[in-house]
Amino acid sequence: MMIVDLVDEVDFKDRLIALGAPVTQEQSLMEVQAAVLLWLQAYPEQIPFIKDLCKEMQKDNVTVLPAVSNVMVAFG
């Protein structure tokens, strides 16, 4: 049996919240994207943490939903 890690919208938001990003579960992914981009402009020292998070979620054994993947692209 193959077990696949799946990153959905809820997981993605949880991980961003854990990093201190100003997002909530109630926000849409587009609102999350805008909020995180503004946050990164104000706190550029957070950029490496966001990039590391995105790299971690793009590993071979992790499946990321396309909508989440599209937002991750915006984070560079």
Side-chain angles (χ1 to χ4, degrees), residues 11-55:
D11 296 326
F12 184 54
K13 291 174 187 176
D14 282 344
R15 292 178 187 197
L16 289 170
I17 292 167
L19 287 177
V23 300
T24 65
Q25 286 295 341
E26 292 76 26
Q27 290 175 300
S28 71
L29 281 175
M30 295 312 300
E31 292 170 329
V32 167
Q33 178 179 326
V36 171
L37 289 174
L38 284 173
W39 179 62
L40 293 176
Q41 286 179 353
Y43 300 97
E45 66 274 10
Q46 298 298 325
I47 292 172
F49 300 109
I50 295 294
K51 288 186 183 242
D52 287 346
L53 172 66
C54 292
K55 284 180 191 174

Side-chain angles (χ1 to χ4, degrees), residues 1-15:
M1 175 192 283
M2 187 170 135
I3 297 175
V4 176
D5 286 331
L6 175 68
V7 176
D8 64 7
E9 186 175 330
V10 173
D11 296 326
F12 184 54
K13 291 174 187 176
D14 282 344
R15 292 178 187 197

